[in-house]
Amino acid sequence: MSEWFGVAIAIVSSCLGGSAAAVTRYLVGGADPITLAVLRWGIGFVVVLPAALLLRAAWPPRRDWAGVVALGVAFFGVFFILYNMALGYTTAARASLALSTLPLQTLVVGAVLGMERLTLRKTAGVAIAMGGVFAALASGLADAPRGAWRGEAIMLGAVLCMAFYNVWSRPFMRRSSPLGFLAVGMGAGAVVLIALDVMSGRIEVLREFGTAQWVAGVWLGVGGGAAAFILWCWRCSARRRRGWRIR
Amino acid sequence: MTVNPLAAGLLAAQLVGEPIGLNLILGLVAVFAGIWLATSERVELVRVAR
């Protein structure tokens, strides 16, 4: 895979993620955050598991399963409940703008955990991006839905959690494969979400779904859940196979 | 990551009629600039000898 093809894959994956934010916004009036997460990761896992088996992805070793499951529940469960809550308050574009600070928050978390050196240049990059996002969100608040700031604050907090997930995932992925790590974590997250949804009775809301909502829900799982993450794994694996590493 | 809000905004405009303001575009430019500045130093990829 050439580097340009890899960039194209990353762009498609990011577009699928962005489309999921818009579809979540479309569905959020008729379903709660847990049910939306069930649709995304329940359906997503049904696609990801066969893909991992067919592609013979390397699974995490037995000693890593507790860690991989815990990270999966934290990311696919907790993070995406917060993500869906955020989209209940603010627009898809504003929430996604807050989400786009993820690489920079990951860099800061990496530095806090002693896994990254925060140079002056990196600090300037973080400051420019975060300053720009705050300025953009604050200046557009008058045209945003009432209470939009709550959604953006929830999303920024959730992104910080995801940054920890990114940093803590690295050793587990190194000892297995991106797709194997993803499948186990997604499965664990989906099981917990479905259990919560069934026990709270929220899952009943799916009975009220019409055809349009089901089409949107399936897209959320297949496009924004499975396809976006399988493409991301493909790019990670290709880079690993070619023997690239960061110096 | 900077493509994500663009896709979200364009599809949300079609699906639920949400506006995409100039401020969001400027915010995206700031994120892109910040990521470029931070990663153009960090990512020095080398091919590992096998």
Side-chain angles (χ1 to χ4, degrees), chain A residues 14-15 18-19 22 25 91-92 96-97 99-100 103 116 119 121-122 125 129 132-133 136 139-140 240 242-245 247, chain B residues 1 3-5 7-9 11-12 16 18 23-24 27-28 30-31 34-35 37-38 40-42 44-48 50:
Chain A
S14 194
C15 283
S19 77
R25 188 78 182 139
T91 66
S96 299
L97 185 62
L99 178 64
S100 70
E116 185 98 41
T119 62
R121 189 184 170 99
K122 289 176 193 170
V133 167
S139 65
R240 253 173 29 155
R242 287 166 62 203
W244 291 105
R245 68 173 170 79
R247 181 150 64 189
Chain B
M1 283 306 287
V3 184
N4 185 308
L11 189 59
V16 284
E18 287 178 355
N23 55 327
L24 286 171
L28 270 183
V31 172
I35 291 175
L37 195 65
S40 55
E41 175 195 53
R42 183 171 69 103
E44 191 187 339
L45 290 170
V46 290
R47 184 162 268 176
V48 181
R50 293 186 177 232

Side-chain angles (χ1 to χ4, degrees), chain A residues 59-179:
Chain A
W59 299 98
R62 193 179 292 266
R63 69 189 159 101
D64 281 353
W65 272 62
V68 176
V69 165
L71 282 170
V73 172
F75 180 58
F76 295 102
V78 179
F79 171 79
F80 274 95
I81 290 173
L82 293 172
Y83 173 98
N84 293 336
M85 277 172 66
L87 281 162
Y89 288 107
T90 189
T91 66
R94 290 173 66 87
S96 299
L97 185 62
L99 178 64
S100 70
T101 59
L102 175 65
L104 297 147
Q105 292 206 42
T106 302
L107 204 140
V108 173
V109 167
V112 168
L113 296 177
M115 297 165 86
E116 185 98 41
R117 200 165 55 88
L118 205 54
T119 62
L120 185 64
R121 189 184 170 99
K122 289 176 193 170
T123 308
V126 172
I128 288 171
M130 297 302 287
V133 167
F134 278 112
L137 294 177
S139 65
L141 210 50
D143 302 321
R146 183 190 287 264
W149 65 271
R150 288 193 187 92
E152 288 134 27
I154 292 170
M155 186 62 91
L156 282 169
V159 170
L160 184 63
C161 299
M162 190 176 172
F164 276 95
Y165 168 85
N166 276 351
V167 174
W168 285 332
S169 308
R170 288 174 194 167
F172 293 108
M173 271 196 278
R174 267 200 299 271
R175 291 195 289 270
S176 54
S177 65
L179 189 54

